[in-house]
């Protein structure tokens, strides 16, 4: 009997099963909190949702009515933040991926990005207050709040964009250079078209983070309640995340379904964005040319 | 040494030395390459064949730590001079690599890539004609004319390599450099690409690196044998293979034949 099981084999097999189970349980455990949060939100907040909820103003001291101004305000914040962070972040990523040599300047920049990514959002909030609201005199405004959000999401955009560009194989660049293309022509025709999906993913993840942040906008441009809608970037605005904070903690006689309804809408926004980013990623990946 | 008058020369190298950092890879190379023929470059692995070829269209410089001394005259002009525009060098001196490296674009866009860098987008008639001509020249048109919109990396390796040659042609190069262009191909594909190289030789000056003796013998007019960064022997191919002048050359040629 050359091939029969020895005690050691038995032990190995047992361990194999054990670890498999263990790791699977951990993976499943991870899903549970997500499901729990979602089901509580849907159960408690679901009844508050209706079409009117999205398109009406809050009424009666914010104990009734909808979230329209907060929804619009969040879109303002995201749009303005993106118009700053995307050009800045993608340009920085292009420099780091395609031009930078490995020298002290590059290392300093990389260090700065890592540290920027680790700064807590409340610190960004104070920075935004000090820099944009006071020092640059933008006042509490959409512009100041969006700039703060932009600074906060920059590292994410830079890092994901740079990684997406680095994933384009080097021989493609060399082929392009050998045909007489400059660095910039190579970036434009070869690198960017083939890293678009990754860059987009980074941007959308940045957006979904922007949507959820409260502290950075609270000090810099978001208001508890405004009787009017923002018209320019110099106005203050309401925003979803802050609105949730307000109806949950600052309005004692709000019905329970209200904050949960706001929370559900907020998380729906974030989930939609994340799903979008996944769809984009897979669709663009399929278009890849290698 | 093969003698030739200056006019009939495509490449004239004088006292070329090259360093990767502190490591010297090429030692005082002198070489005359005649116009309109195929010159093959042979020698053991690591002797500097690729380095030499790459310095002829100045690709080596990308590395930053490379230092070159001496003179490389292509069509009478020193391409190492200060006032030389690299982009023009790359246009006139095309390079084909060991592994087929089509760009991650369609077949059509690959053929037009270099041309568009110079001429802009071009009209449909213009570009259609260029694509057809170039692919005709590399004997690929009939085979892939229905797949021009396909991604180039989806072609067979042989087709990819021919495409990599085709995309050099629209900007009217004078010299084609090929670094072991067949080493990633099977024997049938190799034969097909060799046939193509042979066909192109009247129109272009071709330098081809190969480690395949049979290929050098079949598909080149003149042959250069390199050893440890130096040129040992440069003669018409038949002569070199029949009666090598130097012992090293004989050893190398025979060693490879077993
Ligand atoms: N990028 C490089 N950096 C440093 N040394 C290199 C580089 N490329 C080649 N070399 C060295 O230069 C010598 C010649 O290499 P190469 O030209 O590639 O030889 P061949 O093509 O004849 O095999 C080798 O010793 C190799 O190690
Ligand atoms: Mg080589």
């Amino acid at each position: 009997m050359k091939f029969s099981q020895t005690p050691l084999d038995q032990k190995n097999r047992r361990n194999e099963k054990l670890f498999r189970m263990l790791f699977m349980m951990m993976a499943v455990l991870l899903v549970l909190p997500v499901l729990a949060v979602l089901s509580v939100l849907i159960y408690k907040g679901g009844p508050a949702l209706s079409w009117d909820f999205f398109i009406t103003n809050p009424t009666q001291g914010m104990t009734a009515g909808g979230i329209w101004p907060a929804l619009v305000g969040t879109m303002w914040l995201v749009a303005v933040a993106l118009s700053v962070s995307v050009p800045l972040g993608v340009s920085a990523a292009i420099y780091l991926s395609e031009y930078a040599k490995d020298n002290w300047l590059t290392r300093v920049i990389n260090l700065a990005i890592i540290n920027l990514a680790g700064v807590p959002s409340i610190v960004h909030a104070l920075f935004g207050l000090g820099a944009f609201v006071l020092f640059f005199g933008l006042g509490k405004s959409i512009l100041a709040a969006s700039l703060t959000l932009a600074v906060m999401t920059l590292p994410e955009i830079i890092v994901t964009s740079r990684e997406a560009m680095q994933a384009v194989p080097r021989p493609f660049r060399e082929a392009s250079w050998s045909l007489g293309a400059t660095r910039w022509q190579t970036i434009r025709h070869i690198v960017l078209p083939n890293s678009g999906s990754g860059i987009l993913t980074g941007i959308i993840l940045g957006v979904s983070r922007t949507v959820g942040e409260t502290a950075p906008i609270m000090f810099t441009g978001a208001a508890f309640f405004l009787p009017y809608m923002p018209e320019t970037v110099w106005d203050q605005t309401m925003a979803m995340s802050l609105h949730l904070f307000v109806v949950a903690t600052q309005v004692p006689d709000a019905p329970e379904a209200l904050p949960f309804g706001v929370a559900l809408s907020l998380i729906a926004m974030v989930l939609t964005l994340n799903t979008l980013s996944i769809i984009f990623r897979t669709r663009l990946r399929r278009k890849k040319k290698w | 040494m093969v003698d030739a008058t200056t006019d009939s020369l495509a490449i004239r190298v004088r006292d070329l030395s090259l360093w990767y950092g502190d490591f010297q890879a090429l030692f005082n190379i002198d070489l005359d390459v005649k116009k309109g023929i195929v010159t093959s470059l042979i020698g053991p692995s690591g002797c500097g064949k690729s380095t030499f070829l790459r310095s002829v269209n100045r690709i080596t410089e990308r590395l930053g730590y490379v230092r070159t001394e001496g003179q490389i005259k292509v069509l009478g002009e020193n391409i190492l001079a200060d006032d030389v525009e690299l982009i023009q060098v790359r246009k006139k001196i095309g390079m084909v690599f060991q592994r087929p490296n089509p760009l991650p674009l369609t077949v059509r866009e690959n053929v037009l890539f270099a041309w568009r860098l110079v001429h802009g987008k071009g009209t449909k008639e213009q570009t259609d004609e260029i694509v057809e001509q170039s692919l005709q020249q590399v004997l690929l048109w009939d085979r892939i004319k229905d797949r021009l919109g396909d991604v180039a990396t989806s072609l067979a390796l042989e087709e990819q390599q021919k495409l990599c040659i085709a995309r050099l042609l629209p900007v009217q190069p004078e010299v084609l450099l090929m670094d072991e262009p067949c080493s990633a191909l099977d024997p049938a594909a190799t034969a097909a690409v060799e046939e193509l190289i042979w066909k192109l030789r009247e129109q272009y000056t071709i330098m081809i690196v190969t480690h395949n003796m049979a290929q050098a013998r079949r598909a080149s007019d003149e042959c250069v044998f390199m050893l440890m960064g130096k040129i040992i022997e440069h003669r018409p191919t038949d002569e070199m293979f029949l009666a090598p002048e130097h012992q090293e050359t004989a050893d190398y040629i025979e060693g490879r034949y077993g």
Side-chain angles (χ1 to χ4, degrees):
Chain A
M1 287 299 270
K2 268 187 192 157
F3 301 119
S4 55
Q5 218 172 30
T6 68
L8 183 62
D9 292 329
Q10 263 170 14
K11 193 177 143 219
N12 282 340
R13 287 203 166 272
R14 237 190 2 257
N15 281 348
E16 176 66 25
K17 259 194 202 137
L18 186 77
F19 280 108
R20 203 190 132 90
M21 282 295 291
L22 194 73
F23 291 135
M24 197 176 92
M25 260 165 56
M26 294 300 172
V28 171
L29 267 177
L30 240 158
V31 181
L32 284 182
V34 178
L35 285 180
V37 168
L38 272 182
S39 34
V40 168
L41 282 181
I42 291 172
Y43 176 71
K44 292 201 162 178
L49 297 195
S50 66
W51 180 240
D52 274 349
F53 183 72
F54 293 110
I55 57 159
T56 55
N57 289 333
T59 50
Q60 300 168 22
M62 286 199 273
T63 58
I67 55 170
W68 176 239
L71 206 63
V72 173
T74 290
M75 290 180 186
W76 267 94
L77 290 171
V78 168
V80 178
L82 275 188
S83 65
V84 176
S85 62
V86 169
L88 219 68
V90 174
S91 310
I94 290 178
Y95 174 75
L96 289 172
S97 163
E98 304 300 316
Y99 291 97
K101 298 209 176 88
D102 186 22
N103 54 24
W104 67 269
L105 179 65
T106 311
R107 282 194 283 271
V108 167
I109 295 175
N110 280 326
L111 208 64
I113 293 169
I114 293 168
N115 282 312
L116 196 60
V119 173
S121 60
I122 188 72
V123 177
H124 277 293
L126 285 175
F127 165 74
L129 177 64
F132 301 127
V133 177
L134 301 175
F135 184 78
F136 289 112
L138 302 179
K140 277 192 81 176
S141 61
I142 291 180
L143 188 58
S146 293
L147 287 174
T148 312
L149 289 171
V151 170
M152 199 183 69
T153 47
L154 262 179
E156 197 154 7
I157 293 181
I158 294 175
V159 170
T160 41
S161 304
R162 183 181 54 184
E163 273 165 11
M165 287 180 228
Q166 290 286 291
V168 177
R170 193 174 164 80
F172 290 147
R173 294 182 177 77
E174 281 164 358
S176 172
W177 295 333
S178 79
L179 288 169
T182 59
R183 264 187 199 242
W184 168 238
Q185 285 167 327
T186 304
I187 293 165
R188 216 181 110 211
H189 298 295
I190 305 297
V191 179
L192 285 182
N194 286 289
S195 52
S197 57
I199 295 175
L200 210 61
T201 310
I203 292 171
I204 296 178
L205 289 179
V207 171
S208 85
R209 190 159 163 230
T210 312
V211 167
E213 285 293 342
T214 316
I217 56 174
M218 197 161 146
F219 297 171
T220 52
F224 279 26
F225 178 77
L226 287 174
Y228 56 85
M229 300 288 264
E231 274 165 7
T232 68
V233 293
W234 303 104
D235 293 335
Q236 292 190 44
T237 182
M238 292 176 69
M240 289 290 288
S241 53
L242 184 62
H243 188 59
L244 172 56
F245 171 73
V246 171
V247 291
T249 63
Q250 310 292 305
V251 189
D253 40 356
E256 201 194 19
L258 187 57
F260 282 101
V262 179
L264 188 57
S265 316
L266 185 58
I267 220 164
M269 266 175 110
V270 172
L271 286 185
T272 312
L273 284 168
N274 288 355
T275 313
L276 259 182
S277 88
I278 292 170
I279 293 173
F280 266 129
R281 189 162 39 182
T282 39
R283 275 198 40 193
L284 280 159
R285 176 136 307 156
R286 241 182 286 133
K287 259 177 53 189
K288 273 221 172 115
K289 307 269 169 66
W290 74 83
Chain B
M1 271 287 160
V2 180
D3 295 320
T5 59
T6 319
D7 256 4
S8 62
L9 287 184
I11 306 171
R12 184 187 182 92
V13 178
R14 285 297 174 267
D15 203 21
L16 177 73
S17 296
L18 184 144
W19 290 260
Y20 290 111
D22 292 331
F23 173 76
Q24 187 166 6
L26 298 179
F27 295 84
N28 314 91
I29 301 250
D30 289 327
L31 179 66
D32 290 340
V33 176
K34 292 205 205 79
K35 268 184 198 160
I37 65 166
V38 179
T39 303
S40 65
L41 202 53
I42 61 170
S45 177
C47 69
K49 305 182 295 294
S50 300
T51 302
F52 176 71
L53 208 63
R54 286 163 165 264
S55 50
V56 177
N57 88 340
R58 293 183 59 179
I59 285 231
T60 38
E61 283 167 35
R62 282 282 174 204
L63 290 168
Y65 55 91
V66 171
R67 188 162 61 89
T68 315
E69 267 176 19
Q71 215 184 45
I72 304 175
K73 278 195 173 171
V74 177
L75 306 167
E77 274 183 63
N78 183 12
I79 60 160
L80 297 179
D82 288 336
D83 57 352
V84 162
E85 173 59 57
L86 264 190
I87 290 163
Q88 294 300 329
V89 170
R90 303 260 162 81
K91 217 178 82 181
K92 287 277 168 248
I93 307 167
M95 181 101 187
V96 179
F97 297 82
Q98 195 162 346
R99 278 206 66 77
N101 60 351
L103 295 163
L105 304 167
T106 64
V107 170
R108 205 183 129 80
E109 288 166 333
N110 259 280
V111 177
L112 292 171
F113 188 83
W115 186 84
R116 280 182 166 158
L117 293 175
V118 185
H119 298 93
K121 217 160 161 9
T123 63
K124 175 116 175 59
E125 295 86 64
Q126 254 178 331
T127 51
D128 280 350
E129 193 188 324
I130 290 166
V131 171
E132 176 167 354
Q133 261 184 9
S134 311
L135 291 177
Q136 290 276 19
Q137 267 187 293
V138 299
L139 314 172
L140 211 51
W141 175 251
D142 292 324
R143 231 154 90 201
I144 64 170
K145 63 170 181 262
D146 302 322
R147 288 186 283 159
L148 298 180
D150 286 11
V151 171
T153 39
S154 69
L155 299 179
L157 276 182
E158 176 199 337
E159 293 165 342
Q160 288 189 21
Q161 195 62 302
K162 286 181 169 177
L163 177 65
C164 288
I165 298 173
R167 72 181 176 193
L168 302 172
L169 308 182
V171 288
Q172 268 121 34
E174 309 268 355
V175 177
L176 301 181
L177 306 171
M178 308 191 183
D179 193 351
E180 305 194 23
C182 300
S183 65
L185 307 181
D186 63 40
T190 301
V193 172
E194 268 175 28
E195 188 194 334
L196 167 63
I197 293 170
W198 204 241
K199 171 183 164 283
L200 290 173
R201 77 197 247 279
E202 284 129 38
Q203 224 175 330
Y204 308 97
T205 301
I206 297 173
M207 266 201 100
I208 174 171
V209 168
T210 174
H211 55 216
N212 178 335
M213 289 310 104
Q215 183 177 69
R217 201 167 185 176
R218 270 196 308 268
S220 70
D221 301 282
E222 290 188 3
C223 192
V224 177
F225 174 61
M226 281 182 75
L227 192 62
M228 297 175 64
K230 294 181 182 127
I231 290 183
I232 305 293
E233 197 164 337
H234 173 200
R235 300 168 56 200
T237 306
D238 343 333
E239 282 179 33
M240 172 109 104
F241 279 85
L242 276 176
E245 225 163 53
H246 293 77
Q247 190 54 42
E248 294 101 319
T249 319
D251 289 346
Y252 180 70
I253 294 173
E254 276 156 26
R256 285 305 175 107
Y257 275 85

